[in-house]
Amino acid sequence: MILRRLALLAILSAVSSFAQDSAPPAPAPSPAEPVSTDPRIRGAQAFASSGCPQCHTIRGNGGVKGPDLSGVGRRLNDEQIRAQIQNGSKQMPAFSDVLQASETDDLVAYLHSLRDKSKHPKK
């Protein structure tokens, strides 16, 4: 009787092990977001994911520690925007060691596309 139980346990253990090994693989996770071919869209995504809205506002959304960037494309050219991102300033940290070159390029494209009228009062 004991031998039968031991044999049955051995068989159940072997079947259980086989069932685990032959289980179908879990489905692969789907990508979170498709990658856009438009650098302005990738730049907007980089802006959001890099924490830029914590300090900067665009069209009323974001922080107020840094300047409103809604019209930065009217005020600065690509190289000025790139220099600001890479080198920072007195209050803004440099992001040259944080962002990849492609992310910086995309951010420049996005920020340069922001051409809302300046909200500074005319003197």
Side-chain angles (χ1 to χ4, degrees), residues 24-107:
S30 60
E33 293 180 24
V35 177
S36 175
T37 58
D38 187 338
R40 295 170 298 180
I41 293 173
R42 291 191 312 262
Q45 292 168 338
F47 184 88
S49 66
S50 297
C52 303
Q54 291 178 3
C55 297
H56 295 283
T57 299
I58 294 179
R59 297 182 181 115
N61 295 310
V64 294
K65 186 176 181 180
D68 184 334
L69 299 178
S70 299
V72 71
R74 287 183 168 275
R75 297 186 306 270
L76 302 176
N77 65 34
D78 287 357
E79 289 311 310
Q80 291 169 318
I81 294 171
R82 184 180 317 284
Q84 183 68 37
I85 293 168
Q86 291 177 335
N87 304 327
S89 65
K90 292 178 185 176
Q91 293 181 346
M92 180 177 158
F95 284 88
S96 59
D97 293 339
V98 177
L99 299 172
Q100 296 177 9
S102 61
E103 290 174 306
T104 300
D105 293 342
D106 293 341
L107 270 170

Side-chain angles (χ1 to χ4, degrees), residues 14-31:
V15 168
S16 174
S17 176
F18 176 76
Q20 288 177 355
D21 291 342
S22 64
S30 60

